[in-house]
Amino acid sequence: MNMRQSHTAVVERNQCWEGDFATEPYEAGWSHEAIFFVRMLRAEAANSSSLIAVELQVQISPDGIHWCDEGSRLNFVAQHVLDKPSFVRVSHYGGWLRLAGTVKDGRVWALVHLTLKA
């Protein structure tokens, strides 16, 4: 019986997201499943009455350069620090993974972990 391999990488640490953005790409071709964990560390609204909308989608790539939307999404409204992470699961993704998204009506600082299992 073989022991399964796993690896967790921090792909964004206290990264400021504003407008359109993408995380650092991560080579994951050796793994069979992946989970992105996203935690908001800080949120700053454009004005005191606005809520910050964060829309994320998983992207896949054969080479880490050219990207396609995979279809999995993670959307939330950030008013303040989120104590627990949100997550999205991914499978059948080829060689490379990243998150791409948009922040509307402000900016947020995020922490993103990518957990991979073979």
Side-chain angles (χ1 to χ4, degrees):
M1 180 197 299
N2 290 334
M3 179 179 252
R4 292 184 71 187
Q5 293 181 359
S6 68
H7 178 71
T8 300
V10 177
V11 293
E12 300 286 327
R13 181 176 305 186
N14 200 27
Q15 182 65 42
C16 181
W17 293 342
E18 188 172 18
D20 295 333
F21 66 90
T23 65
E24 289 294 317
Y26 202 86
E27 189 172 11
W30 60 268
S31 63
H32 293 119
E33 61 185 69
I35 302 176
F36 279 102
F37 292 97
V38 180
R39 187 167 155 231
M40 294 300 110
L41 302 174
R42 191 171 126 207
E44 194 174 276
N47 60 57
S48 60
S49 63
S50 66
L51 298 175
I52 305 166
V54 181
E55 301 170 357
L56 299 169
Q57 61 187 6
V58 176
Q59 291 189 326
I60 60 176
S61 171
D63 56 13
I65 300 168
H66 303 94
W67 295 92
C68 309
D69 294 338
E70 181 270 343
S72 300
R73 296 181 155 301
L74 183 60
N75 300 317
F76 49 90
V77 175
Q79 292 176 287
H80 50 77
V81 172
L82 302 176
D83 290 335
K84 61 183 181 178
S86 299
F87 68 93
V88 60
R89 293 183 183 110
V90 192
S91 60
H92 308 295
Y93 41 80
W96 292 79
L97 288 167
R98 75 176 184 181
L99 292 175
T102 302
V103 177
K104 297 177 182 172
D105 298 321
R107 57 186 174 170
V108 297
W109 285 260
L111 176 66
V112 179
H113 289 88
L114 175 59
T115 299
L116 303 164
K117 289 185 182 175

